[in-house]
Amino acid sequence: MNVDDIRKDFPILGQTIRGKPLVFLDSAASAQKPRAVIDAMRNAMETQYANVHRGLHWMSERTTEAYEACRDAAAALMNAESREEIVFTGNSTGALNLVAHSYGRGVLKPGQAVVISGMEHHSNIVPWQMARDAHGIELRVAPITDSGELDMTAFEALLQDGKVGLVSMTHMSNVLGTYTPAARIAALAHQYGAKVLFDGSQAIVHRAIDVRALDADFYCWTGHKLYGPTGIGVLYAKREMLEQMPPFLGGGDMISSVSYEKSTWARVPHKFEAGTPAILEGIGLKAAIDYVQAIGFEAMAAHEASLTEHAMARLSQIEGIRIFGQAQDRGGVISFALDKAHSHDVATLLDRQGIAVRAGHHCAEPLMRRLGVDSTARASFGVYTTHAEIDALADTLTRVREFFA
Amino acid sequence: MNVDDIRKDFPILGQTIRGKPLVFLDSAASAQKPRAVIDAMRNAMETQYANVHRGLHWMSERTTEAYEACRDAAAALMNAESREEIVFTGNSTGALNLVAHSYGRGVLKPGQAVVISGMEHHSNIVPWQMARDAHGIELRVAPITDSGELDMTAFEALLQDGKVGLVSMTHMSNVLGTYTPAARIAALAHQYGAKVLFDGSQAIVHRAIDVRALDADFYCWTGHKLYGPTGIGVLYAKREMLEQMPPFLGGGDMISSVSYEKSTWARVPHKFEAGTPAILEGIGLKAAIDYVQAIGFEAMAAHEASLTEHAMARLSQIEGIRIFGQAQDRGGVISFALDKAHSHDVATLLDRQGIAVRAGHHCAEPLMRRLGVDSTARASFGVYTTHAEIDALADTLTRVREFFA
Amino acid sequence: MSFADEVRELYQEVILDRGRKPRHGQRLAAFDATAKGDNPMCGDRVQVWVKFDSGDTISETGFEARGCAISIASADLMADAIQGRGKADTKALFDSFVAMVRTGVCPEHDTVLEQLAPLSGVHEYPSRVKCATLPWHALNAALEGTREASSE
Amino acid sequence: MSFADEVRELYQEVILDRGRKPRHGQRLAAFDATAKGDNPMCGDRVQVWVKFDSGDTISETGFEARGCAISIASADLMADAIQGRGKADTKALFDSFVAMVRTGVCPEHDTVLEQLAPLSGVHEYPSRVKCATLPWHALNAALEGTREASSE
Ligand SMILES: Cc1ncc(COP(=O)(O)O)c(C=O)c1O
Ligand SMILES: Cc1ncc(COP(=O)(O)O)c(C=O)c1O
């Protein structure tokens, strides 16, 4: 994998910001789009577009094929057993809400518990709180250790009373970069009779995901972080899960028949896909999946590891820096703070130099509280990130620190 | 308005289908996209893209501005009082489900009723059935007359017991082309203490919508039918409605603060927008709104009226044809059936000649039952539709009829 | 190509004819198996009744269908084609038929499939493939003892 | 431009200085009005206390803030600028200040706004505008007798 070649696939990387070349270190928030994705969407709108699934005409049939090819690609990407196990949503948040409503309120019984971890994104906290308050399920939080890893002993203890119906946990923290030991988590959950969902919004960007090897009951992610368009997310669920879950949203395309008295539902996965789907986005996401598959996850994981190692080495040398999370298994997301400067000021000064990082609570307030801070700055890497960009970050941070000292 | 010039804005219209020039008469299912939309999305991905709302860096701020400009454009399009009254969803179906959950289950009390009409799309039936079954509200159906109009006497009768909390009704039928008298419906609903929602998925494509003149409490539509991208829908709601409604989906961006015990919600409209929004789609939809505004709704409405008149005149001359719906106030959606041929066969034979029409139940099974048919064929018009295309449809239908006679 | 020629690519005379006046388009008074088929996407519905000879050889087939010319013609041609066939044989024919209408390719020297070949034109119209296969799905359900099939 | 020059576009000496060592950065022992300001998007928080002279002239302002250099410096410069002003006058200043930080334009010959002008550089950083205006929103809430403000 040659980063220079890869960078040529991303037109935006040639932009300048305030007169400086763009150094985009905010891929964990949303990744940039390769030309293949841009072209696929443009091409669909220019040459082959209509609504899908119901049209008997040429444009509709071709568009349906192009859109449904994304389901095959997503199933292959995750090694799902069948394409029917892939449900499209609007984003990861939409997928998590679907499960929280349809499984959390529709299958779990009041009194059963859901376990999340102490390093979840709000999107894997709030839907469960809402299910707790509306449906009477219990919400349990598995703590993290000081190094930013899941506390496996405490996690197992939470499972022991057998009340836990579902473990819903991140596969990679968007703040600490920690990968959670998904296969072990799933095995433990299953041992105690719980199902397991992984929020793979961050993880799937860097590593090959095999839902069958993990034995995940649910696995979700979001198109825009995997170099695809906004407006589309992916929920994998074992067919037996989908079969037992009631539908969530009602409307066109998710029904088998409708009368005023009673409607019946389409087969899975369509039962969970109401209304005109994100057609162009599916076409774009298919191109994104093809793009990363062509690079290969082995190469991408190695690139991420090399960048992360380099960044940890360079950043840890900066005076007065605090790096959050020291997990054994960690990836290309690094949160930090300088002792003399607020992270917003840091982010602004980096931005003045064309370096885009994120600052704030990263939609993870409870984790911020655990870390004892209000906010952090965060640099995150994509397939197009270079070692030189990390050097630019480290050099500029050093000067920012001096400025505020 | 010059249709020939407009057609040049839509690259897809130059395509050929099975060797014939494309005659696209399926715009009511989803409209084609003008170059302005295609370019806006491409341009964003190539030059200015990042996640919105939380980034402190240049790309994020510019993307946020570009995306939020769609909210201003949508508010202006509908003459909303403020941009905060615009909530983005995935499509109309998403908007209707939001209201059905958040208002239907969150504000209406069991025993209160919702009135829909006899010519609704499934997306404005099924969410209310689900609310009925889960929350104990009553679902009432206002019948339509034989000419395909809302039976106003029967409608008023349904309101009279004062139990109706919400009237949720189409503003234009996607099968019959009927426009409902929205201002009168709203006035009646309000007179009996009910709020009113209009499903404007079809109506807004052809006519200027003024939610304040209509006194609509809710009004929803879907981007892909208004020449915009898939993956984005719009819900207008009076601020007082949004303020009293609980959130629907939970996650990032819709919170003010999160702790495990309790979360508080962001202000409207963000309270209803969980997760990374449809950023690129908002940017595309903004371009679509600008595009139709530049043409002007007066011109578009006149074009629709002229096409519809021509089509009614030409089609009604075909032997053995039955045209469904003869409303006084009707627009560019015409459903029909031939006596000797099934509508699927009709659609296929038209498709063989490059003419794209829809055939089926059009997500309106209860209406099909009312009309006494299983399916119809449907031709629908957009801003790029020409009188010559309608002639092609009529001529080909005549030959199809002869073939099957 | 003329309009008529273009139409005939898919709607050959036999399809029009069978679609209009199917020979087997009625329920059987006495039957051994039956099942319904339903295509919720387009509203086509069919019910198939089958009677066996001694053993599992199909002696008679009838159907009632609501749908397009393709699905009715397909049901009628199916009833001809499976006459006198055993269950296993019929299922194999089902598979070959589905392959043919998906690809448009009719294997050479297969006299049974050749009778059904007029339907192979649907492969150009993927959503119509379901119209052609619906009666076969119903038949298959009947043979397997399930009562409903869907070609959704 | 050098790094230092680029930094100084926004972080002028007075901002760094006030951000580090604000002169009014404490709650007032005796006060007439107070309110909190909260920017949930970035977690900045500020509370402002105001004391009036006879009538509605502001005699003293104090604040406690958690946030970035911009928001703290803005609170501190605000406390200077509103000293001795009446309510109406202060509200007018609030409006002019917001206009200035949004546009970057400081009206000529406005000596009061000129004191606040070092903050006008934020107009290049729209999300930081909220950092600069947060203490003013809190002040405004205090003057209006509401207890909380948000610059979300
Ligand atoms: C009247 C009407 N309502 C609702 C919808 C649903 O729109 P969407 O599928 O974009 O959610 C449609 C179109 O499909 C429609 O025509
Ligand atoms: C770990 C994690 N979960 C969930 C999400 C939510 O993704 P989206 O905003 O696309 O729904 C994100 C990103 O924002 C994330 O990093």
Side-chain angles (χ1 to χ4, degrees), chain B residues 54-56 61 65 256 266-267, chain D residues 40-41 124-127 150 152:
Chain B
R54 282 159 190 289
L56 301 176
E61 300 203 318
E65 278 169 19
S256 168
R267 297 193 192 182
Chain D
M41 284 292 171
E124 296 261 11
Y125 302 83
S127 57
S150 161
E152 193 184 324

Side-chain angles (χ1 to χ4, degrees), chain A residues 293-322:
Chain A
Q293 296 272 44
I295 296 174
F297 277 94
E298 216 169 309
M300 291 200 299
H303 182 58
E304 185 199 25
S306 161
L307 291 170
T308 307
E309 196 184 327
H310 185 59
M312 292 296 267
R314 287 289 328 254
L315 294 183
S316 58
Q317 246 132 60
I318 295 167
E319 223 188 296
I321 202 170
R322 178 176 167 200

Side-chain angles (χ1 to χ4, degrees), chain A residues 28-29 90-94 96 121 123-124 170 172-174 199-202 222-225 363 378, chain B residues 51 274-277:
Chain A
N91 47 26
S92 279
T93 306
L96 289 160
H121 188 281
S123 292
N124 195 26
T170 190
M172 175 181 174
S173 162
N174 65 315
D199 172 1
S201 306
Q202 297 294 340
T222 190
H224 66 95
K225 296 195 206 264
C363 299
R378 180 188 75 182
Chain B
N51 209 330
T276 299

Side-chain angles (χ1 to χ4, degrees), chain C residues 23-133:
Chain C
R23 301 181 192 166
H24 307 275
Q26 61 278 316
R27 64 166 66 209
L28 300 186
F31 59 90
D32 298 305
T34 183
K36 287 184 187 169
D38 192 6
N39 181 347
M41 284 291 173
C42 69
D44 283 352
R45 251 158 244 196
V46 64
Q47 180 159 7
V48 174
W49 290 268
V50 196
K51 197 169 157 40
F52 298 113
D53 258 353
S54 57
D56 73 352
T57 309
I58 295 171
S59 66
E60 210 187 339
T61 306
F63 68 90
E64 275 180 10
R66 204 177 66 184
C68 59
I70 305 279
S71 64
I72 295 174
S74 179
D76 210 45
L77 291 171
M78 175 183 84
D80 281 353
I82 61 179
Q83 173 93 27
R85 264 168 221 290
K87 273 194 193 178
D89 201 9
T90 303
K91 287 202 179 170
L93 186 58
F94 170 45
D95 293 338
S96 325
F97 176 75
V98 170
M100 179 179 74
V101 292
R102 285 209 181 129
T103 60
V105 181
C106 177
E108 277 179 66
H109 311 303
D110 184 327
T111 48
V112 188
L113 267 188
E114 270 166 18
Q115 290 174 47
L116 304 170
L119 288 159
S120 65
V122 293
H123 82 276
E124 296 261 9
Y125 303 83
S127 56
R128 306 303 306 280
V129 168
K130 292 171 188 157
C131 304
T133 57

